[in-house]
Amino acid sequence: MVAELSPKLIAEVQRAAELLAVQSRICILTGAGVSAESGIPTFRDKQTGLWEQYRAEDLASPNAFARDPRLVWSWYQWRRQLVHDKKPNPAHHTLAQWQQDAIENKKSFTLITQNVDDLHEQAGSMTTHLHGHLWRNRCHDCGTPYPNKAETLDSNKKSINFDDSLISCQQCSGYIRPDIVWFGEALPVQAWQTAENAAASCDVFISIGTSSLVYPAAGLAQLAQQNGAKVIEINPNPTPNTIVDITLAANAGVVLPLLMQKMAALT
Ligand code: NAD
Ligand code: ZN
C-alpha cells in the first residue's frame, strides 16, 4: 500500500511527522472519508439501489421528515442495515492508538468527528460527535430519548429491527427519528463547545476525510489557524482550502499508519 505513494507524498508525510513530533496539543476532525475504506459510502458518493434517485442532503433534513417521515425513517433504516456489520479500518485504529499514546504521555489529543457511525469507538477512541449517532433515536417533537435497539440488544447489532414502520412516542405521539443532526439543525451544545475549545487551543489541526463543506464544522480549521495552529489535511481529493499548510493527498487508511510510523522513528 505504502509502495503506491509517490516520493513527494512520502516526503510530505515526513514533514507532517516532524511537525507533529514537537507539538503537544493535537486536534483532529474526521468526516465520512475516514469510514470509506470500511465500506461506508460518503455523502458525495452516489447512492445505490432504491435510493439512487435521492440526494442524501434532501433526506437528512427536518423538512424532508415533516414532508414524508416514513421515507426518511426508511432511509435511515437502510443506512443502519448498510453500516451495522462494518468494522474500523487502519485509519480508525491508528487514531485510537495515537490517542492512547497521547494520554500516556500527558499530551492533549481531541478527536472530533462529523460521522454518525461508531467506528472510532469500536477502535477504542474517545470521540466527540458533532452530528449525532446513527444508533440512537429520539422523539422528533419532545426529544425523549428512545433506547436504541443496538444498545439494548447484542453488541454485534445482529438483532436489530431494520423494518421501515414508523414508531410513535409514548409521551407525545410524535414520530421517533434517529438522533442525528440534520442539515439546518443546531449542533449539540456540549460537543460544539469541546470542539471549539480544542480547535482554538491546539498546535496542529488535522482534517481527515471531510469535504469541508458542512458548516459550522468546516470552520474549525480556520479557528485553529487564527489561533496559531498549523493545519494538515488528509484527503485523496484535497479540498480547495487555502489555509492548509500540509496536504497529504491519499487514503487515510494508508497515510495515517505511515505518519505514526514516521513519528515513532523521530522519538
Ligand atoms: P463528505 O461525504 O462530504 O466528504 C467525504 C470526503 O472524504 C471527500 O472529500 C472525499 O474526497 C474524502 N475521502 C473519500 N475517501 C477517503 C479516504 N479513504 N481517506 C480520506 N478521505 C477520503 O463527508 P463529510 O465532509 O463528513 O460531510 C458530510 C456529512 O455526511 C457529515 O455531516 C456526516 O455526518 C455525514 N455522513 C456520515 C457518514 C458516516 O457516519 N460514516 C457517512 C456519510 C455521510
Ligand atoms: Zn415525544
Side-chain angles (χ1 to χ4, degrees):
M1 298 259 250
V2 173
E4 294 162 13
L5 302 183
S6 68
K8 183 167 173 271
L9 181 59
I10 293 175
E12 285 298 275
V13 176
Q14 178 68 29
R15 198 156 79 86
E18 284 166 13
L19 169 68
L20 288 159
V22 293
Q23 302 297 355
S24 56
R25 292 169 302 172
I26 312 297
C27 179
I28 298 194
L29 173 69
T30 66
V34 85
S35 296
E37 288 159 87
S38 294
I40 302 178
T42 70
F43 268 10
R44 311 296 144 190
D45 291 332
K46 199 171 165 2
Q47 301 217 85
T48 52
L50 278 178
W51 298 99
E52 218 165 318
Q53 56 180 307
Y54 296 96
R55 287 185 340 140
E57 293 90 329
D58 297 333
L59 293 164
S61 82
N63 284 346
F65 193 66
R67 202 166 44 235
D68 192 343
R70 171 91 184 259
L71 178 78
V72 174
W73 179 253
S74 310
W75 182 60
Y76 277 103
Q77 291 293 76
W78 172 78
R79 285 188 70 79
R80 286 170 170 163
Q81 173 86 59
L82 194 78
V83 168
H84 83 283
D85 59 351
K86 299 297 183 280
K87 295 281 171 249
N89 66 56
H92 299 101
H93 288 301
T94 303
L95 291 172
Q97 183 61 53
W98 192 353
Q99 188 175 44
Q100 194 54 45
D101 293 352
I103 292 168
E104 280 164 21
N105 294 308
K106 304 205 170 4
K107 291 188 172 184
S108 157
F109 183 102
T110 308
L111 179 60
I112 305 157
T113 190
Q114 298 169 91
N115 292 346
V116 297
D117 66 48
D118 61 359
L119 298 189
H120 282 307
E121 282 82 1
Q122 281 191 43
S125 286
M126 282 169 292
T127 318
T128 297
H129 282 262
L130 290 181
H131 292 166
H133 304 263
L134 184 64
W135 299 106
R136 295 186 194 163
N137 289 317
R138 65 178 157 87
C139 171
H140 184 57
D141 292 346
C142 73
T144 301
Y146 275 82
N148 136 26
K149 295 186 168 102
E151 277 172 353
T152 51
L153 299 174
D154 66 271
S155 59
N156 291 325
K157 307 189 186 93
K158 285 212 176 92
S159 344
I160 309 162
N161 169 8
F162 292 113
D163 87 33
D164 60 2
S165 347
L166 283 169
I167 310 167
S168 295
C169 175
Q170 287 152 9
Q171 311 294 327
C172 77
S173 76
Y175 287 127
I176 306 305
R177 57 170 276 183
D179 191 9
I180 284 176
V181 181
W182 284 334
F183 290 100
E185 292 185 321
L187 265 52
V189 176
Q190 184 87 53
W192 180 246
Q193 197 64 61
T194 302
E196 262 193 334
N197 290 346
S201 62
C202 68
D203 303 314
V204 185
F205 184 93
I206 313 180
S207 167
I208 308 174
T210 168
S211 54
S212 300
L213 293 173
V214 182
Y215 277 82
L220 289 170
Q222 274 149 293
L223 177 65
Q225 198 207 35
Q226 281 158 9
N227 286 279
K230 294 284 184 208
V231 177
I232 299 175
E233 179 179 65
I234 302 178
N235 194 322
N237 311 298
T239 57
N241 199 336
T242 49
I243 66 165
V244 173
D245 296 289
I246 301 180
T247 300
L248 306 176
N251 287 348
V254 177
V255 167
L256 279 166
L258 179 64
L259 182 62
M260 264 298 254
Q261 203 183 309
K262 292 204 176 284
M263 282 194 295
L266 290 167
T267 52

